Amino acid sequence: MGEFDRYRRDYDITCAASAIEAITQLSRLRSDGRPIAMIVVESELPDMNLLEALATFRSIVPTARRVVGIHWSVFMERSEALRPALQKGKFDTFLLIPRGPRDEEFHYAITELLSDWGATVAAPEVEVIRIVSTELTALTMSIRDFLDRMGMPYRTHMPDSPEGRATIDLFSRTDSRTPVPDTLVHSLRGDTTSVIAPTSVRDVAVLLYGRPSDISVDTVVDLAVVGAGPAGLAAAVYAASEGLRTVVIESEAVGGQAGTSSMIRNYLGFPRGISGMRLSQRARTQALRFGARFLTGWPVQRLLIEEALAPYRLVTDGGEVCARSVLISTGVAYRRLGVAALEELVGVGVHYGAAMSAAREMDGQDVFVVGGGNSAGQAAIHLARHARSVTIVVRRPDLSSTMSDYLVGEIAFNPRITVCGSSEVVDGGGSGRLEWVMLRDNRTGREQRCAAGGLFLLLGASPHCDWLPEVVERDDDGFVLTGRDVPRQRWPGDVPPAELTTSEPGLFAAGDIRSGSMKRVAAASGEGASVVPLVHTWLATLREAQTS
């Protein structure tokens, strides 16, 4: 355990000589209300089968990260035997036990897992944003979800707390409203007088990141990226790194749907997985380092196609951005359930998407996840760390045809998760927040009312491109056509556009919004990067036209 001495400043480290002793200590710590970040166990225990011990550990502390340490002498034998259990999520990773000091690869893995725990489970030790609210309203939950997805540390305080009173006092100095609004947001980033009474998430985004009007309309950028999901972020990184003046406009939080995933385990280069939020924020930081600008919380209302040398004007409620080229990477929106009673409870128990901030509120609750894709599976696994039970509701008989095999296996192993096939949610309600849902078995027509503390709706893809002009060709489902899929009469000179080019020269599409896309994070990132050479070619064409 000497390898963990470097963590003693920030964590209490407790040792146990056997699995039974560890179970006793975990139970005591849990009953005392002590948060437990990580359990590290050797691959061979003196008194219990390893997998049985890990299952017991998880039943006591489902939110703790679980690591198996393997000695060098038996690494090959033990690691091969443990791989099937790792694939099913019985623990988070196995690591070689260091044989000497400064094994930074070992510590990188440990700190990575601790960081993930800190971002998704623990209350932040510092706060950059302070929320003061009398209760968890739909607005407050939306703000918290936005801040979580942006990787912004925050805390929520009651108005009568010392922090709440200080924030209210600062607000009252500049705003004489009485009574003071129910929700205040206080930015602690240097200027302690930045207190607002938001009426929407956009107000918080403006406080933190500014408006599109901050960019002069007279300035024409080389590339405007609309949508900061994996495709848009990859394009921003590569475009900015190659010297293109790049602006990214995102309607919600950076990361898109991928940014709400609690853990993406099949993304290249991250063997222990990475949360969508962390992947998105790392990409954003990378793009910012190269000079890209981000405008968050501003949906594009219209795209205007104008003069040849500055052909595109993007209109938002907060200002306009002019660009020589545009990448459409707005991705897709979750389809609405269409149950009026549940739509009224969105934000107070009902959530479209994973809503990672809401997971902490699900402790001891019965939760329902509607959807059969990878995002739904990842949400269910994360929610199972907090909720008493998680039920995945799908119209198909099972998950095998719509979800990656590694997730299907992990869900099947998890005792807190149940799959309810051939079913759908048809009703629900509650007094002020969600309390119950009605499930219907589509095979028999039988309906069952179930207690529910949370309903998370991940219902598949609806294209997000109503803001595009009609001249941009789309398929019957509304997805943007590119390359050879563009109608032949729109081909320039009887030659099809390049693969990621739309029917309008200089206007590109990548990621889930593109017709025929793969709907995977890695594929979207690859498409975003592949757009940049096409942008260079288009800009060269514009320069030639300008000099001729």
Side-chain angles (χ1 to χ4, degrees), residues 15-319:
C15 300
S18 67
I20 297 299
E21 184 181 344
I23 291 167
T24 301
Q25 291 189 17
L26 288 170
S27 299
R28 176 177 52 79
L29 291 169
R30 180 75 171 177
S31 64
D32 290 344
R34 299 283 297 279
I36 300 167
M38 180 179 289
I39 302 167
V40 183
V41 57
E42 292 200 25
S43 61
E44 187 171 0
L45 299 173
D47 57 343
M48 187 178 288
N49 174 273
L50 173 65
L51 297 183
E52 291 179 0
L54 288 167
T56 305
F57 297 159
R58 180 161 78 169
S59 69
I60 300 170
V61 194
T63 56
R65 302 313 186 241
R66 301 176 304 280
V67 178
V68 176
I70 307 177
H71 290 278
W72 285 78
S73 59
V74 294
F75 179 75
M76 293 302 296
E77 172 191 346
R78 296 279 165 78
S79 62
E80 287 302 316
L82 287 172
R83 285 186 199 282
L86 179 62
Q87 291 171 348
K88 289 181 170 61
K90 296 183 179 182
F91 56 96
D92 293 289
T93 193
F94 55 71
L95 299 172
L96 279 166
I97 294 176
R99 293 191 294 181
R102 296 187 301 278
D103 187 338
E104 299 304 335
E105 185 63 26
F106 172 86
H107 291 291
Y108 178 79
I110 294 295
T111 54
E112 196 175 49
L113 289 167
L114 290 173
S115 176
D116 176 63
W117 176 84
T120 58
V121 178
E125 294 297 326
V126 297
E127 55 182 352
V128 174
I129 296 293
R130 177 178 295 164
I131 302 171
V132 177
S133 182
T134 54
E135 58 181 335
L136 291 180
T137 62
L139 173 61
T140 305
M141 291 300 296
S142 296
I143 293 171
R144 287 172 54 164
D145 187 56
F146 173 76
L147 295 174
D148 271 331
R149 292 171 63 187
M150 294 303 298
M152 192 71 65
Y154 69 89
R155 287 181 180 172
T156 304
H157 302 274
M158 294 297 291
D160 59 356
S161 67
E163 296 84 357
R165 288 194 296 270
T167 296
I168 291 171
D169 181 58
L170 284 172
F171 177 79
S172 299
R173 294 179 194 174
T174 57
D175 194 311
S176 59
R177 264 183 282 178
T178 54
V180 174
D182 289 338
T183 300
L184 298 177
V185 173
H186 182 186
S187 173
L188 301 173
R189 299 193 305 174
D191 181 6
T192 57
T193 63
S194 296
V195 182
I196 62 170
T199 59
S200 67
V201 173
R202 177 183 293 175
D203 294 338
V204 180
V206 172
L207 175 68
L208 298 176
Y209 304 112
R211 298 170 171 267
S213 58
D214 294 341
I215 298 176
S216 171
V217 177
D218 297 331
T219 301
V220 181
V221 301
D222 296 315
L223 174 64
V225 179
V226 185
L233 289 168
V237 168
Y238 283 94
S241 70
E242 295 180 16
L244 298 181
R245 184 177 296 175
T246 304
V247 170
V248 183
I249 307 172
E250 168 55 46
S251 62
E252 296 181 357
V254 168
Q257 283 191 9
T260 68
S261 294
S262 59
M263 186 58 64
I264 303 171
R265 295 196 183 277
N266 61 348
Y267 191 74
L268 183 68
F270 294 90
R272 289 172 289 276
I274 184 170
S275 72
M277 181 275 288
R278 292 206 171 278
L279 183 63
S280 302
Q281 292 307 319
R282 288 181 183 185
R284 177 177 177 270
T285 301
Q286 199 171 9
L288 287 169
R289 179 180 179 182
F290 290 124
R293 293 194 63 177
F294 282 79
L295 299 164
T296 305
W298 296 99
V300 174
Q301 304 295 335
R302 296 190 308 282
L303 171 66
L304 304 179
I305 302 175
E306 300 184 334
E307 60 183 270
L309 298 181
Y312 297 113
R313 184 182 293 265
L314 297 159
V315 180
T316 79
D317 286 342

Side-chain angles (χ1 to χ4, degrees), residues 265-428:
R265 295 196 183 277
N266 61 348
Y267 191 74
L268 183 68
F270 294 90
R272 289 172 289 276
I274 184 170
S275 72
M277 181 275 288
R278 292 206 171 278
L279 183 63
S280 302
Q281 292 307 319
R282 288 181 183 185
R284 177 177 177 270
T285 301
Q286 199 171 9
L288 287 169
R289 179 180 179 182
F290 290 124
R293 293 194 63 177
F294 282 79
L295 299 164
T296 305
W298 296 99
V300 174
Q301 304 295 335
R302 296 190 308 282
L303 171 66
L304 304 179
I305 302 175
E306 300 184 334
E307 60 183 270
L309 298 181
Y312 297 113
R313 184 182 293 265
L314 297 159
V315 180
T316 79
D317 286 342
E320 300 179 356
V321 175
C322 297
R324 297 182 178 89
S325 64
V326 173
L327 172 62
I328 306 164
S329 54
T330 44
V332 294
Y334 289 115
R335 291 200 302 269
R336 310 301 287 189
L337 185 63
V339 178
L342 291 173
E343 292 294 334
E344 294 177 0
L345 296 174
V346 170
V348 281
V350 178
H351 306 276
Y352 280 94
M356 300 312 301
S357 61
R360 298 186 184 99
E361 311 300 325
M362 295 297 115
D363 189 46
Q365 301 285 336
D366 296 308
V367 172
F368 292 79
V369 175
V370 181
N374 278 11
S375 295
Q378 290 158 352
I381 290 168
H382 179 66
L383 287 163
R385 294 181 183 271
H386 301 269
R388 177 171 56 191
S389 72
V390 178
T391 302
I392 302 176
V393 182
V394 286
R395 292 186 175 184
R396 295 174 183 266
D398 55 40
L399 302 173
S400 59
S401 63
T402 58
M403 192 177 291
S404 294
D405 183 70
Y406 82 94
L407 283 170
V408 174
E410 192 166 346
I411 286 167
F413 165 76
N414 195 312
R416 294 191 177 196
I417 304 177
T418 302
V419 178
C420 185
S422 302
S423 301
E424 59 184 312
V425 174
V426 295
D427 200 2

Side-chain angles (χ1 to χ4, degrees), residues 473 481 483-497:
E473 299 285 351
L481 294 171
R484 289 184 174 275
D485 292 333
V486 171
R488 195 175 185 89
Q489 65 268 24
R490 299 293 305 276
W491 291 8
D494 206 36
V495 176

